[in-house]
């Protein structure tokens, strides 16, 4: 087990190039079993979630080759429709395998997916959508057993624009007989990227990003060499850290349009932000001013995956901010840890009132989930004195060489074995 030791109070300066987005790479890896030809993915982040997905692909019979940040997936000899429970409990995105494995084998067996403990995150929408496509589903002894005599296109109306459900239904419909229409589909950039990827393989998908996605079933998909979009959450995390600590950061490899909601808030906080092509430059003088209200919403609203990091920034901003979490039930578990550092936070149900204090102080804190762990690191970078951040396994799920990149910006952070 490792921990971070952080000496806070340093401003951050430098450049960061982000990897391909974790939340795009995972469904693209699942989609690789849809073809017998090799799939090549570029700028793949060396993070735990990706490694777990690659292990799942290996278990179903795929051959994986890794070279630096490139992954080559050959599923020509894939034979298994069962996803091992020991791997699904570590990775919520393992649920994406349902749609693609059903397309490949017309049956699938998977245990309930794991991941961060930030709320119930039921997969009812996934299963309801698959049933509309002709899948018979039996839930027994903690496993989901899916069978179909043949996937058939249908109209699917999602009760909520779930990113995961939208992606899973897209993967299941890609070779279904006829046309599938997904209404109230998620609009996130990762959905648009999945559409690009599938179409590059020979699929017929259009409408992603607009709320209604139409998929015309095809009989065959080819291999593809593809570079996914940059990770907007990774980019946002380093931007929030620089905004909070003060300094200047240039982020390369991400579209400003994909994190427009965050950039808007950071400008309100007092940061200077400049954008050009896939580069974003942020300048911060140090202590920021608060904004009154931030509510997480589906894209293009403020992303729930940046709520915790932004909360860390609010802890030392001048004034008070009300955060409202509209997507997950228990995403404020990091708040108690921030209080150990002197933060003034009051949490009631899905709302958190943060009253900015002049300074945070170093403390020993424990990460309880991926984004909450990143928030604790940001708070420690801003705090006076020395902090320890424990339970780094959560942070490793979504950030590659987090401490190394922060050190490159001037942070005093090191990783040590406990």
């Amino acid at each position: 087990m490792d921990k971070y030791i952080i000496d806070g109070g340093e401003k951050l300066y430098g450049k960061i190039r982000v990897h391909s987005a974790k939340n795009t790479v995972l469904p693209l890896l699942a989609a690789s079993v849809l073809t017998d030809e090799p799939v090549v993915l570029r700028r793949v982040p060396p993070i735990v979630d990706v490694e777990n997905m690659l292990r799942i692909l290996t278990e179903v019979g795929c051959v994986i080759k890794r070279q630096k940040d490139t992954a080559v997936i050959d599923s020509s000899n894939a034979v298994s429709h069962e996803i091992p429970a020991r791997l699904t409990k570590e990775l919520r995105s393992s649920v994406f395998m349902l749609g693609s494995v059903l397309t490949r084998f017309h049956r699938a067996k998977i245990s309930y997916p794991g991941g961060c403990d930030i709320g119930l995150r039921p997969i009812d929408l996934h299963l309801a959508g698959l049933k509309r496509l002709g899948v018979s589903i039996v839930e027994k002894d903690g496993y989901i057993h899916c069978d179909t005599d043949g996937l058939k296109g249908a109209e699917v109306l999602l009760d909520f624009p779930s990113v995961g459900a939208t992606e899973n239904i897209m993967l299941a419909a890609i070779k279904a007989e006829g046309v599938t229409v997904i209404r109230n589909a998620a609009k996130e950039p990762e959905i648009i990227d999945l559409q690009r990827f599938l179409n590059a393989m020979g699929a017929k998908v259009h409408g992603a990003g607009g709320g209604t996605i139409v998929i015309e079933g095809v009989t065959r998909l080819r291999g593809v060499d593809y570079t996914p979009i940059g990770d907007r959450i990774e980019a946002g995390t380093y931007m929030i850290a620089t905004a909070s600590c003060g300094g200047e950061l240039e982020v390369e490899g991400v579209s400003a349009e994909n994190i427009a909601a965050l950039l808007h808030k950071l400008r309100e906080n007092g940061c200077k932000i400049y954008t050009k092509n896939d580069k974003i430059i942020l300048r911060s003088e140090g202590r920021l001013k608060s904004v009154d209200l931030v509510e997480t919403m589906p894209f293009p609203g403020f992303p729930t995956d940046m709520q915790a990091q932004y909360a860390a920034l609010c802890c030392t901003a001048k004034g008070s901010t009300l955060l409202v979490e509209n997507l997950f039930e228990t995403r404020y578990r990091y708040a108690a840890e921030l209080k150990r550092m002197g933060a003034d936070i009051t949490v009631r149900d899905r709302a958190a009132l943060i009253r900015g204090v002049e300074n945070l102080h170093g403390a020993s804190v424990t990460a309880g989930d991926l984004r909450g762990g990143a928030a604790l690191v940001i708070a420690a970078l801003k705090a006076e004195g020395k902090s320890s951040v424990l339970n780094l396994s959560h942070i490793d799920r979504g950030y590659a060489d987090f401490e190394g990149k922060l050190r490159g910006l001037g942070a005093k952070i090191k990783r040590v074995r406990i």
Side-chain angles (χ1 to χ4, degrees):
M1 182 181 294
D2 293 352
K3 69 177 180 180
Y4 288 147
I5 297 177
I6 300 169
D7 286 309
E10 301 295 324
K11 290 190 174 184
L12 304 180
Y13 294 91
K15 298 181 180 180
I16 291 287
R17 180 172 180 83
V18 298
H19 281 95
S20 292
K22 174 179 91 82
N23 292 334
T24 290
V25 170
L26 295 176
L28 297 195
L29 287 172
S32 67
V33 304
L34 296 172
T35 177
D36 289 333
E37 299 180 9
V39 170
V40 180
L41 294 179
R42 307 285 181 180
R43 288 172 54 195
V44 175
I47 56 177
V48 170
D49 273 9
V50 167
E51 298 308 316
N52 280 333
M53 182 61 89
L54 291 173
R55 290 190 189 99
I56 290 173
L57 291 173
T58 300
E59 288 284 341
V60 302
C62 299
V63 176
I64 310 294
K65 295 181 181 178
R66 292 294 301 271
Q67 184 176 10
K68 295 183 179 179
D69 63 353
T70 297
V72 182
I73 305 95
D74 182 353
S75 65
S76 58
N77 294 316
V79 293
S80 177
H81 69 281
E82 297 189 18
I83 315 302
R86 71 180 187 280
L87 294 176
T88 57
K89 71 180 181 180
E90 300 294 333
L91 178 65
R92 178 168 178 80
S93 297
S94 59
V95 75
F96 294 133
M97 294 297 294
L98 266 181
S100 53
V101 170
L102 275 167
T103 296
R104 180 71 178 260
F105 300 111
H106 284 188
R107 57 179 177 160
K109 178 183 176 182
I110 188 172
S111 65
Y112 282 93
C116 285
D117 185 11
I118 56 174
L120 295 175
R121 304 203 293 180
I123 61 171
D124 297 2
L125 295 177
H126 299 243
L127 302 183
L130 294 176
K131 287 178 181 177
R132 290 285 298 159
L133 299 181
V135 179
S136 173
I137 298 174
V138 176
E139 300 175 60
K140 183 179 179 182
D141 300 327
Y143 283 88
I144 304 167
H145 301 261
C146 302
D147 289 279
T148 180
D149 292 331
L151 293 159
K152 298 187 183 300
E155 183 164 314
V156 180
L157 174 62
L158 295 176
D159 292 334
F160 178 84
S162 161
V163 174
T166 300
E167 292 170 331
N168 223 340
I169 296 165
M170 290 172 70
L171 295 178
I174 212 72
K175 290 185 179 180
E177 181 184 336
V179 177
T180 298
V181 180
I182 308 173
R183 302 196 186 278
N184 197 29
K187 301 176 182 178
E188 271 72 3
E190 292 79 10
I191 301 291
I192 299 172
D193 210 30
L194 177 58
Q195 174 179 278
R196 289 195 200 103
F197 175 81
L198 292 171
N199 286 344
M201 296 173 74
K204 296 180 179 179
V205 186
H206 62 272
T212 298
I213 299 174
V214 180
I215 304 118
E216 299 177 50
V218 298
T219 58
R220 184 179 179 277
L221 295 175
R222 56 180 175 266
V224 64
D225 189 323
Y226 194 80
T227 302
I229 59 172
D231 196 321
R232 61 192 175 110
I233 308 302
E234 181 189 11
T237 298
Y238 290 112
M239 292 178 68
I240 291 171
T242 304
S244 180
C245 294
E248 181 173 328
L249 174 68
E250 179 180 312
V251 180
E252 186 177 3
V254 67
S255 166
E257 183 179 351
N258 291 347
I259 52 171
L262 173 65
L263 298 184
H264 177 71
K265 291 300 179 185
L266 291 175
R267 286 189 174 106
E268 285 190 74
N269 289 128
C271 296
K272 303 296 184 184
I273 298 174
Y274 310 90
T275 64
K276 184 177 181 181
N277 299 326
D278 69 340
K279 292 183 180 180
I280 303 172
I281 298 173
L282 177 143
R283 293 175 186 150
S284 171
E285 296 299 326
R287 193 175 184 199
L288 304 172
K289 57 186 179 183
S290 64
V291 298
D292 293 334
L293 175 67
V294 177
E295 290 195 67
T296 64
M297 300 290 286
F299 190 85
F302 194 93
T304 183
D305 276 352
M306 283 194 273
Q307 179 254 97
Q309 302 94 305
Y310 190 78
L313 176 151
C314 294
C315 287
T316 54
K318 298 176 183 177
S320 299
T321 298
L322 179 65
L323 291 181
V324 180
E325 173 55 57
N326 290 308
L327 279 77
F328 296 115
E329 298 88 351
T330 56
R331 201 144 204 180
Y332 291 121
R333 293 187 176 179
Y334 63 82
E337 300 301 299
L338 288 177
K339 286 183 179 181
R340 293 176 181 268
M341 306 176 79
D344 186 350
I345 305 177
T346 303
V347 177
R348 292 288 184 273
D349 297 323
R350 294 191 181 218
L353 178 63
I354 305 177
R355 304 173 184 86
V357 298
E358 182 114 12
N359 291 300
L360 297 174
H361 55 75
S364 179
V365 293
T366 302
D369 64 81
L370 169 54
R371 307 307 176 184
L376 298 180
V377 171
I378 291 170
L381 292 172
K382 175 68 172 177
E384 294 182 339
K386 190 183 298 290
S387 296
S388 297
V389 180
L390 290 79
N391 209 5
L392 302 187
S393 59
H394 288 294
I395 296 173
D396 291 341
R397 286 187 45 238
Y399 295 96
D401 191 23
F402 197 31
E403 66 277 10
K405 289 181 179 177
L406 288 169
R407 273 199 307 272
L409 299 177
K412 292 183 177 179
I413 176 173
K414 60 182 178 180
R415 184 174 184 136
V416 299
R417 179 74 63 178
I418 300 176

